Amino acid sequence: MNIHYLTLFPEMYDGVLNSSILKRAKDKGIVDYNLINFRDYSNSKHNKVDDYPYGGGAGMVLKPEPVFEAMDDLEVDNARVILLCPQGAPFNQKMAEDLSTEEDIVFICGHYEGYDERIRTLVTDEVSIGDYVLTGGELASMTMTDAIVRLIPDVISKQESHEQDSFSTGLLEHPHYTRPREYRGMKVPEVLLSGDHKKIEEWRRDESLKRTRERRPDLLE
Ligand code: ADE
């Protein structure tokens, strides 16, 4: 998979794409990250990428030319082109699963004051990562990258498998315990030490349901 980011702040990605599983996926040759500073496509003297809104009003609007020209240069066919904005469809696990099978994904990261509306003709999807306003789409694109890349086959091992992840099953995950058996008076539930796999499965399923009912009853509806 190739993931392209049209951004004015490519340096924001350094730590995230070069750590942990996202780095491992790149090192294994499974994904490639391509950072494009679309300020390089500005045709103005001072590399301006935004301008005052027609009709007046507060805030600046992202100009169409740098984004269109950066896209022309990309030359990707059949890519999913995702505009990050708070008005987009809410991001979720199902969307991550769907995107994890794509060959090319382009994220267009702009700023909330607004995109020139014509930029929307370039995109296949508009996505929001939650009902709050970020200063730009960069953190949203990194969040989405993380959720998508870990689902690509061979990025994480069988032991780390995501098949039991919260949301993949439609429920929140059951509690987990590791050694020691007792810590500061808190004991690991007996059933997990019993070796009875059927009982353990039942316990996990019950805890999963209980947790979902308590924390996210909306998922059960
Ligand atoms: N840009 C600004 N806020 C955003 C959000 N919540 N999701 C995606 N992109 C954004």
mmCIF file of all heavy atoms in Angstrom, residues 161-196:
data_model
loop_
_atom_site.group_PDB
_atom_site.id
_atom_site.type_symbol
_atom_site.label_atom_id
_atom_site.label_comp_id
_atom_site.label_asym_id
_atom_site.label_seq_id
_atom_site.Cartn_x
_atom_site.Cartn_y
_atom_site.Cartn_z
ATOM 1 N N SER A 161 -2.717 -10.705 17.055
ATOM 2 C CA SER A 161 -3.851 -10.637 16.139
ATOM 3 C C SER A 161 -4.945 -9.656 16.574
ATOM 4 O O SER A 161 -5.241 -9.501 17.745
ATOM 5 C CB SER A 161 -4.461 -12.020 15.985
ATOM 6 O OG SER A 161 -5.647 -11.921 15.252
ATOM 7 N N HIS A 162 -5.543 -9.040 15.583
ATOM 8 C CA HIS A 162 -6.560 -8.027 15.845
ATOM 9 C C HIS A 162 -7.969 -8.570 15.731
ATOM 10 O O HIS A 162 -8.929 -7.844 15.814
ATOM 11 C CB HIS A 162 -6.391 -6.856 14.881
ATOM 12 C CG HIS A 162 -5.991 -7.265 13.511
ATOM 13 N ND1 HIS A 162 -6.851 -7.856 12.638
ATOM 14 C CD2 HIS A 162 -4.781 -7.206 12.896
ATOM 15 C CE1 HIS A 162 -6.189 -8.135 11.515
ATOM 16 N NE2 HIS A 162 -4.952 -7.761 11.640
ATOM 17 N N GLU A 163 -8.064 -9.916 15.547
ATOM 18 C CA GLU A 163 -9.416 -10.448 15.335
ATOM 19 C C GLU A 163 -10.310 -10.286 16.562
ATOM 20 O O GLU A 163 -11.516 -10.240 16.450
ATOM 21 C CB GLU A 163 -9.344 -11.912 14.893
ATOM 22 C CG GLU A 163 -9.099 -12.003 13.391
ATOM 23 C CD GLU A 163 -8.380 -13.267 12.978
ATOM 24 O OE1 GLU A 163 -8.569 -14.283 13.672
ATOM 25 O OE2 GLU A 163 -7.654 -13.220 11.970
ATOM 26 N N GLN A 164 -9.680 -10.220 17.750
ATOM 27 C CA GLN A 164 -10.456 -10.054 18.980
ATOM 28 C C GLN A 164 -10.550 -8.593 19.412
ATOM 29 O O GLN A 164 -11.077 -8.306 20.477
ATOM 30 C CB GLN A 164 -9.815 -10.865 20.116
ATOM 31 C CG GLN A 164 -9.829 -12.365 19.887
ATOM 32 C CD GLN A 164 -11.230 -12.888 19.739
ATOM 33 O OE1 GLN A 164 -12.113 -12.526 20.510
ATOM 34 N NE2 GLN A 164 -11.465 -13.702 18.731
ATOM 35 N N ASP A 165 -9.998 -7.678 18.608
ATOM 36 C CA ASP A 165 -10.012 -6.262 18.990
ATOM 37 C C ASP A 165 -11.403 -5.795 19.359
ATOM 38 O O ASP A 165 -12.388 -6.259 18.797
ATOM 39 C CB ASP A 165 -9.602 -5.372 17.800
ATOM 40 C CG ASP A 165 -8.119 -5.386 17.554
ATOM 41 O OD1 ASP A 165 -7.380 -5.892 18.397
ATOM 42 O OD2 ASP A 165 -7.733 -4.864 16.493
ATOM 43 N N SER A 166 -11.440 -4.807 20.258
ATOM 44 C CA SER A 166 -12.698 -4.104 20.466
ATOM 45 C C SER A 166 -13.174 -3.618 19.102
ATOM 46 O O SER A 166 -12.361 -3.254 18.261
ATOM 47 C CB SER A 166 -12.473 -2.890 21.364
ATOM 48 O OG SER A 166 -12.147 -3.299 22.677
ATOM 49 N N PHE A 167 -14.466 -3.628 18.897
ATOM 50 C CA PHE A 167 -15.133 -3.171 17.671
ATOM 51 C C PHE A 167 -15.118 -4.214 16.560
ATOM 52 O O PHE A 167 -16.080 -4.337 15.835
ATOM 53 C CB PHE A 167 -14.569 -1.840 17.139
ATOM 54 C CG PHE A 167 -14.554 -0.766 18.180
ATOM 55 C CD1 PHE A 167 -13.358 -0.289 18.666
ATOM 56 C CD2 PHE A 167 -15.736 -0.268 18.697
ATOM 57 C CE1 PHE A 167 -13.334 0.693 19.649
ATOM 58 C CE2 PHE A 167 -15.729 0.710 19.671
ATOM 59 C CZ PHE A 167 -14.515 1.190 20.153
ATOM 60 N N SER A 168 -13.994 -4.987 16.386
ATOM 61 C CA SER A 168 -13.980 -5.988 15.312
ATOM 62 C C SER A 168 -15.058 -7.024 15.571
ATOM 63 O O SER A 168 -15.689 -7.525 14.661
ATOM 64 C CB SER A 168 -12.635 -6.704 15.235
ATOM 65 O OG SER A 168 -11.643 -5.801 14.855
ATOM 66 N N THR A 169 -15.251 -7.350 16.864
ATOM 67 C CA THR A 169 -16.251 -8.354 17.220
ATOM 68 C C THR A 169 -17.622 -7.710 17.422
ATOM 69 O O THR A 169 -18.591 -8.407 17.650
ATOM 70 C CB THR A 169 -15.867 -9.035 18.546
ATOM 71 O OG1 THR A 169 -15.768 -7.999 19.544
ATOM 72 C CG2 THR A 169 -14.542 -9.761 18.455
ATOM 73 N N GLY A 170 -17.679 -6.401 17.384
ATOM 74 C CA GLY A 170 -18.930 -5.702 17.688
ATOM 75 C C GLY A 170 -19.067 -5.415 19.172
ATOM 76 O O GLY A 170 -20.007 -4.776 19.613
ATOM 77 N N LEU A 171 -18.119 -5.921 19.972
ATOM 78 C CA LEU A 171 -18.144 -5.722 21.431
ATOM 79 C C LEU A 171 -16.802 -5.129 21.871
ATOM 80 O O LEU A 171 -15.808 -5.242 21.166
ATOM 81 C CB LEU A 171 -18.325 -7.060 22.148
ATOM 82 C CG LEU A 171 -19.610 -7.844 21.892
ATOM 83 C CD1 LEU A 171 -19.525 -9.204 22.574
ATOM 84 C CD2 LEU A 171 -20.828 -7.068 22.397
ATOM 85 N N LEU A 172 -16.772 -4.585 23.073
ATOM 86 C CA LEU A 172 -15.494 -4.166 23.655
ATOM 87 C C LEU A 172 -14.760 -5.401 24.164
ATOM 88 O O LEU A 172 -15.386 -6.399 24.512
ATOM 89 C CB LEU A 172 -15.725 -3.173 24.805
ATOM 90 C CG LEU A 172 -16.470 -1.888 24.451
ATOM 91 C CD1 LEU A 172 -16.563 -0.980 25.675
ATOM 92 C CD2 LEU A 172 -15.787 -1.145 23.299
ATOM 93 N N GLU A 173 -13.452 -5.324 24.211
ATOM 94 C CA GLU A 173 -12.666 -6.480 24.635
ATOM 95 C C GLU A 173 -12.832 -6.794 26.119
ATOM 96 O O GLU A 173 -13.060 -5.886 26.921
ATOM 97 C CB GLU A 173 -11.179 -6.223 24.354
ATOM 98 C CG GLU A 173 -10.701 -6.901 23.094
ATOM 99 C CD GLU A 173 -9.192 -6.967 23.069
ATOM 100 O OE1 GLU A 173 -8.549 -5.912 22.990
ATOM 101 O OE2 GLU A 173 -8.658 -8.094 23.137
ATOM 102 N N HIS A 174 -12.650 -8.062 26.441
ATOM 103 C CA HIS A 174 -12.678 -8.521 27.844
ATOM 104 C C HIS A 174 -11.414 -8.027 28.561
ATOM 105 O O HIS A 174 -10.435 -7.671 27.912
ATOM 106 C CB HIS A 174 -12.742 -10.053 27.869
ATOM 107 C CG HIS A 174 -11.618 -10.691 27.096
ATOM 108 N ND1 HIS A 174 -10.346 -10.785 27.600
ATOM 109 C CD2 HIS A 174 -11.579 -11.214 25.844
ATOM 110 C CE1 HIS A 174 -9.571 -11.354 26.705
ATOM 111 N NE2 HIS A 174 -10.281 -11.621 25.617
ATOM 112 N N PRO A 175 -11.395 -8.064 29.919
ATOM 113 C CA PRO A 175 -10.186 -7.671 30.657
ATOM 114 C C PRO A 175 -9.046 -8.662 30.439
ATOM 115 O O PRO A 175 -9.291 -9.833 30.145
ATOM 116 C CB PRO A 175 -10.636 -7.710 32.124
ATOM 117 C CG PRO A 175 -12.115 -7.793 32.107
ATOM 118 C CD PRO A 175 -12.517 -8.408 30.808
ATOM 119 N N HIS A 176 -7.831 -8.164 30.578
ATOM 120 C CA HIS A 176 -6.634 -9.008 30.446
ATOM 121 C C HIS A 176 -5.835 -8.978 31.747
ATOM 122 O O HIS A 176 -5.830 -7.963 32.443
ATOM 123 C CB HIS A 176 -5.729 -8.482 29.332
ATOM 124 C CG HIS A 176 -6.377 -8.431 28.001
ATOM 125 N ND1 HIS A 176 -6.397 -9.497 27.149
ATOM 126 C CD2 HIS A 176 -7.047 -7.425 27.379
ATOM 127 C CE1 HIS A 176 -7.054 -9.165 26.046
ATOM 128 N NE2 HIS A 176 -7.460 -7.909 26.167
ATOM 129 N N TYR A 177 -5.132 -10.060 32.019
ATOM 130 C CA TYR A 177 -4.226 -10.141 33.174
ATOM 131 C C TYR A 177 -2.945 -10.839 32.769
ATOM 132 O O TYR A 177 -2.973 -11.715 31.908
ATOM 133 C CB TYR A 177 -4.862 -10.955 34.322
ATOM 134 C CG TYR A 177 -6.037 -10.275 34.981
ATOM 135 C CD1 TYR A 177 -7.331 -10.468 34.491
ATOM 136 C CD2 TYR A 177 -5.852 -9.448 36.085
ATOM 137 C CE1 TYR A 177 -8.417 -9.852 35.089
ATOM 138 C CE2 TYR A 177 -6.937 -8.825 36.691
ATOM 139 C CZ TYR A 177 -8.212 -9.031 36.187
ATOM 140 O OH TYR A 177 -9.276 -8.416 36.786
ATOM 141 N N THR A 178 -1.844 -10.457 33.411
ATOM 142 C CA THR A 178 -0.602 -11.209 33.255
ATOM 143 C C THR A 178 0.004 -11.399 34.638
ATOM 144 O O THR A 178 -0.619 -11.057 35.648
ATOM 145 C CB THR A 178 0.358 -10.493 32.279
ATOM 146 O OG1 THR A 178 1.512 -11.323 32.088
ATOM 147 C CG2 THR A 178 0.803 -9.121 32.802
ATOM 148 N N ARG A 179 1.207 -11.975 34.731
ATOM 149 C CA ARG A 179 1.842 -12.155 36.034
ATOM 150 C C ARG A 179 2.153 -10.822 36.702
ATOM 151 O O ARG A 179 2.366 -9.847 35.977
ATOM 152 C CB ARG A 179 3.106 -12.995 35.852
ATOM 153 C CG ARG A 179 2.730 -14.462 35.676
ATOM 154 C CD ARG A 179 3.946 -15.327 35.580
ATOM 155 N NE ARG A 179 4.560 -15.193 34.259
ATOM 156 C CZ ARG A 179 5.466 -16.055 33.767
ATOM 157 N NH1 ARG A 179 5.850 -17.084 34.477
ATOM 158 N NH2 ARG A 179 5.970 -15.875 32.593
ATOM 159 N N PRO A 180 2.172 -10.711 38.009
ATOM 160 C CA PRO A 180 2.000 -11.787 39.005
ATOM 161 C C PRO A 180 0.529 -12.120 39.280
ATOM 162 O O PRO A 180 -0.351 -11.321 38.960
ATOM 163 C CB PRO A 180 2.646 -11.193 40.252
ATOM 164 C CG PRO A 180 2.423 -9.722 40.111
ATOM 165 C CD PRO A 180 2.521 -9.433 38.648
ATOM 166 N N ARG A 181 0.318 -13.283 39.893
ATOM 167 C CA ARG A 181 -1.052 -13.730 40.219
ATOM 168 C C ARG A 181 -1.741 -12.796 41.192
ATOM 169 O O ARG A 181 -2.954 -12.697 41.195
ATOM 170 C CB ARG A 181 -1.000 -15.125 40.873
ATOM 171 C CG ARG A 181 -0.736 -16.219 39.888
ATOM 172 C CD ARG A 181 -0.479 -17.507 40.647
ATOM 173 N NE ARG A 181 -1.723 -18.142 41.012
ATOM 174 C CZ ARG A 181 -1.986 -19.428 40.745
ATOM 175 N NH1 ARG A 181 -1.089 -20.172 40.148
ATOM 176 N NH2 ARG A 181 -3.128 -19.944 41.098
ATOM 177 N N GLU A 182 -0.939 -12.180 42.058
ATOM 178 C CA GLU A 182 -1.517 -11.223 42.995
ATOM 179 C C GLU A 182 -0.612 -10.009 43.068
ATOM 180 O O GLU A 182 0.610 -10.149 43.157
ATOM 181 C CB GLU A 182 -1.663 -11.864 44.390
ATOM 182 C CG GLU A 182 -2.370 -10.916 45.340
ATOM 183 C CD GLU A 182 -2.721 -11.554 46.689
ATOM 184 O OE1 GLU A 182 -2.782 -12.796 46.776
ATOM 185 O OE2 GLU A 182 -2.942 -10.782 47.636
ATOM 186 N N TYR A 183 -1.194 -8.828 42.995
ATOM 187 C CA TYR A 183 -0.402 -7.596 43.063
ATOM 188 C C TYR A 183 -1.150 -6.577 43.909
ATOM 189 O O TYR A 183 -2.308 -6.258 43.606
ATOM 190 C CB TYR A 183 -0.144 -7.049 41.657
ATOM 191 C CG TYR A 183 0.764 -5.837 41.679
ATOM 192 C CD1 TYR A 183 2.095 -5.956 42.057
ATOM 193 C CD2 TYR A 183 0.277 -4.583 41.355
ATOM 194 C CE1 TYR A 183 2.928 -4.854 42.112
ATOM 195 C CE2 TYR A 183 1.099 -3.468 41.404
ATOM 196 C CZ TYR A 183 2.428 -3.611 41.786
ATOM 197 O OH TYR A 183 3.245 -2.512 41.840
ATOM 198 N N ARG A 184 -0.496 -6.142 44.971
ATOM 199 C CA ARG A 184 -1.089 -5.174 45.909
ATOM 200 C C ARG A 184 -2.510 -5.574 46.319
ATOM 201 O O ARG A 184 -3.441 -4.756 46.316
ATOM 202 C CB ARG A 184 -1.086 -3.769 45.308
ATOM 203 C CG ARG A 184 0.333 -3.295 45.026
ATOM 204 C CD ARG A 184 0.415 -1.828 44.780
ATOM 205 N NE ARG A 184 1.820 -1.452 44.551
ATOM 206 C CZ ARG A 184 2.269 -0.223 44.531
ATOM 207 N NH1 ARG A 184 1.450 0.798 44.726
ATOM 208 N NH2 ARG A 184 3.530 0.024 44.319
ATOM 209 N N GLY A 185 -2.657 -6.835 46.579
ATOM 210 C CA GLY A 185 -3.937 -7.357 47.055
ATOM 211 C C GLY A 185 -4.952 -7.645 45.941
ATOM 212 O O GLY A 185 -6.031 -8.154 46.209
ATOM 213 N N MET A 186 -4.600 -7.328 44.697
ATOM 214 C CA MET A 186 -5.536 -7.563 43.591
ATOM 215 C C MET A 186 -5.188 -8.887 42.923
ATOM 216 O O MET A 186 -4.060 -9.076 42.469
ATOM 217 C CB MET A 186 -5.438 -6.415 42.574
ATOM 218 C CG MET A 186 -5.895 -5.082 43.140
ATOM 219 S SD MET A 186 -5.641 -3.727 41.977
ATOM 220 C CE MET A 186 -3.886 -3.429 42.168
ATOM 221 N N LYS A 187 -6.203 -9.786 42.898
ATOM 222 C CA LYS A 187 -5.954 -11.147 42.411
ATOM 223 C C LYS A 187 -6.455 -11.332 40.977
ATOM 224 O O LYS A 187 -7.469 -10.752 40.593
ATOM 225 C CB LYS A 187 -6.668 -12.151 43.311
ATOM 226 C CG LYS A 187 -6.055 -12.249 44.679
ATOM 227 C CD LYS A 187 -6.649 -13.428 45.441
ATOM 228 C CE LYS A 187 -5.968 -13.541 46.793
ATOM 229 N NZ LYS A 187 -6.911 -13.631 47.890
ATOM 230 N N VAL A 188 -5.746 -12.168 40.253
ATOM 231 C CA VAL A 188 -6.193 -12.571 38.915
ATOM 232 C C VAL A 188 -7.409 -13.480 39.103
ATOM 233 O O VAL A 188 -7.374 -14.370 39.967
ATOM 234 C CB VAL A 188 -5.058 -13.321 38.182
ATOM 235 C CG1 VAL A 188 -5.542 -13.877 36.848
ATOM 236 C CG2 VAL A 188 -3.853 -12.408 37.986
ATOM 237 N N PRO A 189 -8.486 -13.300 38.357
ATOM 238 C CA PRO A 189 -9.655 -14.171 38.506
ATOM 239 C C PRO A 189 -9.277 -15.651 38.370
ATOM 240 O O PRO A 189 -8.525 -16.016 37.456
ATOM 241 C CB PRO A 189 -10.582 -13.734 37.354
ATOM 242 C CG PRO A 189 -10.181 -12.322 37.070
ATOM 243 C CD PRO A 189 -8.709 -12.247 37.357
ATOM 244 N N GLU A 190 -9.786 -16.465 39.291
ATOM 245 C CA GLU A 190 -9.456 -17.899 39.354
ATOM 246 C C GLU A 190 -9.632 -18.594 38.005
ATOM 247 O O GLU A 190 -8.812 -19.412 37.611
ATOM 248 C CB GLU A 190 -10.342 -18.603 40.394
ATOM 249 C CG GLU A 190 -9.832 -18.520 41.826
ATOM 250 C CD GLU A 190 -8.412 -19.066 41.999
ATOM 251 O OE1 GLU A 190 -8.070 -20.085 41.351
ATOM 252 O OE2 GLU A 190 -7.642 -18.456 42.775
ATOM 253 N N VAL A 191 -10.707 -18.276 37.325
ATOM 254 C CA VAL A 191 -11.032 -18.987 36.082
ATOM 255 C C VAL A 191 -9.877 -18.933 35.079
ATOM 256 O O VAL A 191 -9.624 -19.903 34.354
ATOM 257 C CB VAL A 191 -12.355 -18.455 35.460
ATOM 258 C CG1 VAL A 191 -12.273 -16.974 35.116
ATOM 259 C CG2 VAL A 191 -12.751 -19.253 34.220
ATOM 260 N N LEU A 192 -9.128 -17.834 35.077
ATOM 261 C CA LEU A 192 -8.035 -17.696 34.109
ATOM 262 C C LEU A 192 -6.854 -18.596 34.445
ATOM 263 O O LEU A 192 -5.997 -18.849 33.607
ATOM 264 C CB LEU A 192 -7.569 -16.232 34.025
ATOM 265 C CG LEU A 192 -8.620 -15.236 33.517
ATOM 266 C CD1 LEU A 192 -8.057 -13.818 33.515
ATOM 267 C CD2 LEU A 192 -9.085 -15.606 32.106
ATOM 268 N N LEU A 193 -6.827 -19.079 35.693
ATOM 269 C CA LEU A 193 -5.728 -19.955 36.121
ATOM 270 C C LEU A 193 -6.151 -21.415 36.037
ATOM 271 O O LEU A 193 -5.351 -22.321 36.283
ATOM 272 C CB LEU A 193 -5.328 -19.622 37.569
ATOM 273 C CG LEU A 193 -5.091 -18.142 37.877
ATOM 274 C CD1 LEU A 193 -4.940 -17.922 39.384
ATOM 275 C CD2 LEU A 193 -3.859 -17.633 37.146
ATOM 276 N N SER A 194 -7.422 -21.658 35.685
ATOM 277 C CA SER A 194 -7.991 -23.007 35.779
ATOM 278 C C SER A 194 -7.512 -23.937 34.661
ATOM 279 O O SER A 194 -7.559 -25.151 34.814
ATOM 280 C CB SER A 194 -9.522 -22.915 35.704
ATOM 281 O OG SER A 194 -9.906 -22.502 34.388
ATOM 282 N N GLY A 195 -7.083 -23.369 33.541
ATOM 283 C CA GLY A 195 -6.698 -24.226 32.411
ATOM 284 C C GLY A 195 -7.900 -24.769 31.646
ATOM 285 O O GLY A 195 -7.745 -25.500 30.671
ATOM 286 N N ASP A 196 -9.095 -24.426 32.072
ATOM 287 C CA ASP A 196 -10.325 -24.901 31.409
ATOM 288 C C ASP A 196 -10.698 -23.913 30.297
ATOM 289 O O ASP A 196 -11.312 -22.878 30.541
ATOM 290 C CB ASP A 196 -11.435 -25.010 32.464
ATOM 291 C CG ASP A 196 -12.731 -25.577 31.904
ATOM 292 O OD1 ASP A 196 -12.971 -25.445 30.676
ATOM 293 O OD2 ASP A 196 -13.509 -26.140 32.701
#
